């Protein structure tokens, strides 16, 4: 029998619950759970780890992030809210220790402000308004115990969020094992690149492509966009946002799949690496024996070595790069100029299409 996966709650929901619990504690007595409204129109009942008064006008509450069955680095993180009553009728929300600060444009939060996204901010405000006296205001200070260390496992530093995690969430809930959520988390890199005024972006599936982009093109860090296995999705989003020039860089172990029209490069989706390399090697003159050896190879690096010995390395990967470009251009409706560069594990260029060659050496 297939197990039903358990949903979780976002850091935004945790922050809203902690803020409301702290305010209730200040106004009356500590609570062990609170109800908070959500953007999807339902209310969540959230357990509260602890809440207590700190003074006559200040209280604190702690909520433990529960990601359900989702793979989430913020799972079990402790989100805290310290509230202080004021007489100005305003609700002020600020980040403290463990909450990141925005340092780059392109994100939904202005530079120098705490990385508390708009939807979670509204959730916090709506939750507080349910218990805040009409003649009072409140200051909310959020913190995340261990947030600085957890943030190192995210894209925050690349996006320009430093010093901690972001308070996130568009629905209030975390869908378990959601690839869609992961894909969406990659898109802000494109927003940052556009906001910094870069006309060309570099789509790289991993660190190898990123390193070569810096070496060959002197590419700024913010112009390099990590795609993971979602090269097709990120191509779509880049063009959707108006990017006109894209260079795809990376190891052929991922990228040769694009030549076969496979734009989600995860091995569980499809794997035609050896078949693609063997086919294009044959197209540039490989004999039957070499083609058979490539098809029997265990790794892409082994196939690379076979092509190198046969003096067919560059011609094979140049042809593959041209096909990747053609497939990518077809996918985005020819709305962007696309260059493709394939590199080995040591960073050597294996092949490139004509667009990339003109850009690199022209």
């Amino acid at each position: 029998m297939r197990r039903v996966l358990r949903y979780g709650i976002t850091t935004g929901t945790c922050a809203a619950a902690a803020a409301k619990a702290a305010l209730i504690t200040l106004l009356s007595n500590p609570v062990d759970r609170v109800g908070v409204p959500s953007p999807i129109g339902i209310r969540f009942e959230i357990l509260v780890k602890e809440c207590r008064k700190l003074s006559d006008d200040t209280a604190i509450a702690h909520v433990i992030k529960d990601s359900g069955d989702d793979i989430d680095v913020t799972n079990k993180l402790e989100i805290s809210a310290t509230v202080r009553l004021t007489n100005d009728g305003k609700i002020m929300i600020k980040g403290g220790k463990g909450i990141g600060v925005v340092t780059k444009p392109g994100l939904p939060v202005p530079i120098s402000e705490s990385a508390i996204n708009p939807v979670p901010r509204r959730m916090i405000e709506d939750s507080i308004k349910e218990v805040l006296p009409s003649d009072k205001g409140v200051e909310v200070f959020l913190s995340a115990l261990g947030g600085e260390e957890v943030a190192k496992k995210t894209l925050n530093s690349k996006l320009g969020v430093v010093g901690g995690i972001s308070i996130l969430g568009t629905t209030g809930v975390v869908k378990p094992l959601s690839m869609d959520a992961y894909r969406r988390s990659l898109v802000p890199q494109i927003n940052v690149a556009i906001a910094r005024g870069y006309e060309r972006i570099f789509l790289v599936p991993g660190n190898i492509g990123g390193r070569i982009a810096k070496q060959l093109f002197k590419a700024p860090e913010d112009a390099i966009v990590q795609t993971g296995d979602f090269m097709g999705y990120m191509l779509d989003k880049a063009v959707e946002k108006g990017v006109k020039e894209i260079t795809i860089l990376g190891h052929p172990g991922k990228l040769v799949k694009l030549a076969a029209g496979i734009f989600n490069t995860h091995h569980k989706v499809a794997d035609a690496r050896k078949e693609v390399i063997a086919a294009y090697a044959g197209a540039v003159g490989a004999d039957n024996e070499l083609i058979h050896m490539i098809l029997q190879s265990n790794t892409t690096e082994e196939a690379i070595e076979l092509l190198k010995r046969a003096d067919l390395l560059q011609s094979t990967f140049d042809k593959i790069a041209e096909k990747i470009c053609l497939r990518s251009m077809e996918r985005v409706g020819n709305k962007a100029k696309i260059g493709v560069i394939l590199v080995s594990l040591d960073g050597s260029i294996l092949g490139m299409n004509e667009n990339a060659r003109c850009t690199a050496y022209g």
Side-chain angles (χ1 to χ4, degrees), residues 124-266:
I124 296 168
E125 291 173 351
D126 291 344
S127 297
I128 284 173
K129 287 175 182 177
E130 293 183 342
V131 293
L132 183 67
S134 58
D135 62 337
K136 293 291 184 180
V138 65
E139 291 181 343
V140 181
F141 298 90
L142 301 177
S143 61
L145 183 63
E148 301 95 328
E149 287 302 310
V150 170
K152 295 176 182 177
K153 303 174 184 178
T154 72
L155 285 171
N156 272 15
S157 61
K158 181 168 178 54
L159 296 175
V161 177
V162 300
I165 65 165
S166 301
I167 301 298
L168 301 170
T170 57
T171 63
V173 296
V174 175
K175 185 177 179 181
L177 306 176
S178 172
M179 285 297 100
D180 186 54
Y182 175 68
R183 290 193 311 173
R184 290 199 307 270
S185 74
L186 299 171
V187 176
Q189 298 175 91
I190 300 174
N191 298 336
V192 169
I194 292 171
R196 296 297 292 268
Y198 299 122
E199 296 182 357
R200 181 203 309 168
I201 66 170
F202 300 80
L203 297 184
V204 301
N207 293 327
I208 297 172
R211 187 175 73 246
I212 300 305
K214 293 175 184 177
Q215 292 174 357
L216 186 62
F217 293 98
K218 309 301 181 187
E221 180 68 34
D222 291 339
I224 301 170
V225 175
Q226 296 279 344
T227 69
D229 287 308
F230 302 107
M231 183 62 72
Y233 175 80
M234 295 298 278
L235 275 167
D236 295 341
K237 288 299 176 182
V239 172
E240 180 184 302
K241 292 174 179 295
V243 177
K244 297 299 183 184
E245 192 169 350
I246 299 168
T247 300
I248 299 172
L249 297 96
H251 189 266
K254 289 287 187 184
L255 295 185
V256 296
K257 297 179 184 181
L258 275 58
I262 302 167
F263 281 90
N264 181 333
T265 59
H266 196 285

Side-chain angles (χ1 to χ4, degrees), residues 5 30 50 55 82 86 89 103 129 190 240 247:
L5 296 177
E50 179 190 8
S55 67
T82 302
T86 64
T103 63
K129 287 175 182 177
I190 300 174
E240 180 184 302
T247 300

Side-chain angles (χ1 to χ4, degrees), residues 78-100:
E78 184 174 301
I79 307 295
S80 303
T82 302
V83 301
R84 185 177 73 84
L85 278 179
T86 64
N87 295 314
D88 59 9
K90 298 179 181 179
I91 297 176
M92 301 294 294
I93 304 169
K94 302 177 181 179
K97 187 173 178 58
I99 306 297

